[in-house]
Structure formats: C-alpha cells, structure tokens
C-alpha cells in the first residue's frame, strides 16, 4: 500500500519493533544467531517489510536493539536489510550481566558499550541509544539516595565517557547518544527525567559537548513519580541545555495500544515540539505475552493486558503511526512545529 497520509513536519517518524517479542524476534539464540522466519528471512526485517508495505504513513526509520555477541554476519544482514527497505537505522545498545553503577563492573560495561558504538561506526549509523545507567530488574536492588546516588552518577559518567573515548565516537559518523531511564521496578534509582538528567548533564560537561541526549519515553514518564507538569518542566530544561533526544510514543503501564495512554503521549509530545528541538519520534508497543517480559507482568499485571482489540500487533502499530502522524501534522497546523 502506498503512503496515503502525508507527513507535514520535519520530524523523522519510525518504529521500535519490540512487538515481535524479544524471545523469538529480537534476542539472539545459540551461537549469537538472530531469529528467522520459516522462509529464512530475519524476523525483524520481515516485520518491517510488512509494516512499510501496509502502513498509510511513510515509515522513515527503525530503532533496533544490538546485543553483545551477536553473529556479525546476522547483524550485517539485519542492518543492511532494514536499510534496503529505505529505513534510517537507529541502534539501542543493550547491556546485561553487569551493573554500570558498580566500579568493579566498569570494564564489562565499557566493553559492551564500545561494541555497540563500533557497530554503529561500521554501518554509518548516526543515532545510538541505551538504557545503560543501571542493571535491569536486579533482584534485591534498592533505590540509591544521598551519597550513594552521587556515587552512582559519578560512575555512570565515568563508564559512558570511557566508552565514548575508547570507541572514538568524537568525529565519527555518530552524532548523538540518547540515554533512557526506566520505570520503577525495572530500575530502582534512575526512574525519572530529573534523575537521568543528572547523568546526561554531567556527561556532556565531562566531554565538553552535547553528544549525550535524554530520551523522553512517554510510558516511563507516566510511570515515574513526576506528574505531567513536572515532566514538561524537565523537558524544557533539558531542551534549553541542548540535550533533548528521541521521543518514544508508548503507552504507560500497558505498553500496548496507544489508546491506553491516558494523555501522556499527547502532552509530552507537544511539549517536546514546543521546544523546537524535537527531531525523532518512534512508536513502540510490546507484546503482552513476550516470555522475556514475564518479570514486568509480575511487577504490574497491567503490562500483561491484551490491548489489541481484535487486531494483530502489526495492525496496532500501524494505528499508532497514524495517531502520531496526525498529532504531528496538527502541531504544524497549530504552528507549534514548522512545516516540512
């Protein structure tokens, strides 16, 4: 199907294909091999080909996770296959099995981040992201406050600046590194825009440039301890400092259909647009039965709700793209965003 809803803004609109599930879709299996369909095509490439063909909205980009240890040939095939669909590829660098806040894990974390940055350099990728400020859903982890929080911030700054320097990111094709916080329970310490800004602002001060950005994920903002006006104030502060990054249009708690969002996407997307610094927006849905996310469903049963309302997940994502492009187009109509 040809694109039938034209985008009126300069915002690059894309998809994070997490709806194909981490298990069986995104996470490598034995030997670092990526999941494939029965016909041998990589699952992510096949899904994005389907979305590009079916969406009435032109999909401009795709944001994919890259895991340490993935088969190099599969990784090349994945990235080149997505580029072959006419998509701009963004990377989400995955870190696991080590805690970025612990000095004793610094070497492991730095190596994983450098690996992701090297993949970006190899493929000429300009935008990378990560949720690499603490370990995901660590059993028994406690919220760090006071001196412990300050030490965690300092260590995060140290390990990310180290990776930036060791990978030779400065002067490379990589233009920005977007760092995301997660909701409480997934993370224990860096669980709001205010907290992640302490790391990103410190990082940019350390390296002397605004290379690091704050990713604004509407879902995580909605599940944080800051209300909408407090998040809007943080967005303005971050943008004024030149560090506003990617926006994820994703529904709080359910992470399903954007109709379950209760207003966070609209409010925060508009605030990001008002700053004049918004460049990238991604629609992100998660599959409510993904085996990899059982821990999240145990944390909050709302994450396990089937919000598809009779659609496939592909159709739900397309509906999300339509919703978001209409919002962006009307932000142009209202002169909040400039026209293309």
């Amino acid at each position: 199907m040809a694109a039938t809803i034209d985008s009126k803004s300069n915002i690059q609109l894309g998809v994070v294909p997490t709806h194909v599930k981490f298990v069986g879709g995104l996470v490598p299996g034995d030997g670092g091999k990526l999941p494939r369909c029965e016909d041998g095509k990589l699952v992510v490439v096949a899904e994005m080909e389907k979305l590009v063909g079916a969406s009435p909205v032109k999909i401009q980009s795709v944001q994919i996770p890259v895991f340490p240890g993935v088969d190099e040939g599969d990784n090349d095939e994945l990235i080149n296959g997505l580029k072959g669909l006419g998509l701009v590829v963004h990377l989400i660098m995955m870190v696991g099995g080590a805690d970025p806040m612990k000095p004793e894990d610094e070497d492991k974390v730095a190596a994983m981040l450098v690996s992701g940055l090297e993949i970006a350099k190899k493929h000429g990728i300009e935008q990378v992201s990560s949720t690499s400020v603490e370990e995901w859903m660590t059993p028994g982890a406690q919220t760090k406050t006071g001196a412990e929080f300050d030490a965690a911030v300092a260590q995060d700054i140290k390990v990310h600046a180290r990776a930036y320097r060791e990978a030779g990111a400065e002067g490379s094709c990589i233009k920005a590194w977007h760092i995301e916080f997660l909701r409480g329970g997934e993370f224990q310490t860096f669980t709001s825009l205010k907290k992640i800004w302490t790391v990103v602002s410190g990082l940019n001060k350390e390296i002397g440039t605004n290379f690091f950005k704050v990713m604004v994920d509407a879902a995580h903002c909605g599940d944080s301890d800051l209300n909408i006006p407090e998040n809007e104030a943080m967005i303005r502060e971050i943008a004024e400092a030149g560090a506003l990054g990617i926006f994820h249009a994703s529904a709080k708690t359910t992470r399903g259909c954007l109709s379950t969002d209760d207003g966070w996407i609209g409010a925060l997307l508009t605030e990001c647009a008002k700053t004049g610094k918004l460049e990238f927006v991604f629609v992100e849905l998660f599959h409510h039965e993904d085996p990899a996310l059982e821990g999240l469903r145990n944390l909050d049963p709302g994450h396990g709700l089937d919000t598809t309302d009779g659609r496939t997940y592909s159709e739900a994502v397309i509906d999300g793209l339509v919703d978001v492009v209409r919002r962006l187009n009307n932000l142009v109509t209202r002169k909040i965003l400039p026209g293309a």
Side-chain angles (χ1 to χ4, degrees):
M1 180 190 296
T4 57
I5 303 175
D6 293 330
S7 175
K8 297 178 181 178
S9 76
N10 287 318
I11 303 300
Q12 187 186 106
L13 179 62
V15 170
V16 188
T18 41
H19 62 283
V20 301
K21 300 182 183 179
F22 281 93
V23 174
L26 299 170
V27 177
D30 294 341
K33 305 295 285 185
L34 292 171
R36 295 180 182 270
C37 303
E38 289 184 4
D39 63 1
K41 186 172 290 187
L42 292 170
V43 168
V44 171
V45 175
E47 175 62 14
M48 290 309 303
E49 183 177 23
K50 180 199 298 184
L51 292 179
V52 166
S55 175
V57 178
K58 180 177 174 57
I59 303 173
Q60 297 164 288
S61 54
V62 59
Q63 190 180 42
I64 55 169
V66 288
F67 295 87
V70 172
D71 179 85
E72 186 175 3
D74 277 13
N75 221 39
D76 291 347
E77 183 182 345
L78 173 62
I79 294 171
N80 292 329
L82 294 170
K83 287 183 175 181
L85 296 174
L87 298 169
V88 177
V89 177
H90 295 229
L91 299 185
I92 308 171
M93 303 183 296
M94 306 300 284
V95 172
D99 189 343
M101 300 185 293
K102 292 181 178 179
E104 59 267 31
D105 285 353
E106 181 180 321
D107 289 348
K108 291 181 182 178
V109 174
M112 287 185 275
L113 292 173
V114 168
S115 171
L117 293 169
E118 292 293 352
I119 292 170
K121 288 169 60 182
K122 177 181 179 180
H123 290 278
I125 290 171
E126 296 183 352
Q127 308 292 329
V128 301
S129 301
S130 65
T131 53
S132 50
V133 290
E134 66 180 279
E135 197 169 10
W136 186 67
M137 294 194 76
T138 305
Q142 300 294 315
T143 303
K144 296 184 184 301
T145 59
E148 284 191 338
F149 178 82
D150 294 342
V153 170
Q155 183 59 32
D156 272 325
I157 291 171
K158 183 181 179 186
V159 71
H160 286 81
R162 173 179 167 179
Y164 165 85
R165 292 177 177 125
E166 288 186 2
E170 183 179 8
S172 74
C173 61
I174 307 171
K175 294 183 177 179
W177 181 345
H178 309 254
I179 297 184
E180 181 181 19
F181 74 91
L182 300 182
R183 62 172 293 174
E186 293 187 72
F187 280 179
Q188 304 302 325
T189 296
F190 295 101
T191 55
S192 71
L193 280 181
K194 185 174 183 179
K195 291 178 178 179
I196 200 66
W197 180 227
T198 61
V199 175
V200 173
S201 59
L203 265 167
N204 287 336
K205 183 177 180 180
E206 167 67 22
I207 65 171
T209 182
N210 286 335
F211 181 79
F212 289 91
K213 311 289 184 183
V214 174
M215 182 189 295
V216 178
D217 183 300
H220 295 311
C221 289
D223 284 322
S224 77
D225 60 355
L226 301 182
N227 60 28
I228 286 178
E230 289 168 334
N231 275 285
E232 290 171 332
M234 286 306 309
I235 286 169
R236 291 192 294 272
E237 180 180 340
I238 292 164
E240 286 167 6
L244 181 66
I246 288 166
F247 183 86
H248 275 181
S250 195
K252 76 183 187 74
T253 309
T254 69
R255 308 309 300 274
C257 178
L258 301 194
S259 65
T260 67
D261 167 65
D262 299 332
W264 285 83
I265 291 171
L268 301 191
L269 178 61
T270 299
E271 195 62 40
C272 287
K274 286 178 179 178
T275 70
K277 302 296 178 64
L278 180 65
E279 297 181 76
F280 311 103
V281 175
F282 287 91
V283 171
E284 182 184 42
L285 274 66
F286 289 80
H287 197 294
H288 70 287
E289 294 178 328
D290 189 342
L293 302 179
E294 182 179 358
L296 270 179
R297 294 191 291 275
N298 293 335
L299 175 70
D300 189 332
H303 192 82
L305 296 176
D306 181 356
T307 64
T308 56
D309 196 27
R311 297 163 294 174
T312 65
Y313 266 94
S314 300
E315 290 168 340
V317 168
I318 289 171
D319 283 348
L321 287 162
V322 171
D323 176 270
V324 172
V325 82
R326 295 290 192 198
R327 291 180 184 276
L328 293 172
N329 284 350
N330 282 311
L331 286 169
V332 173
T333 299
R334 295 157 62 196
K335 301 190 184 307
I336 293 172
L337 275 177

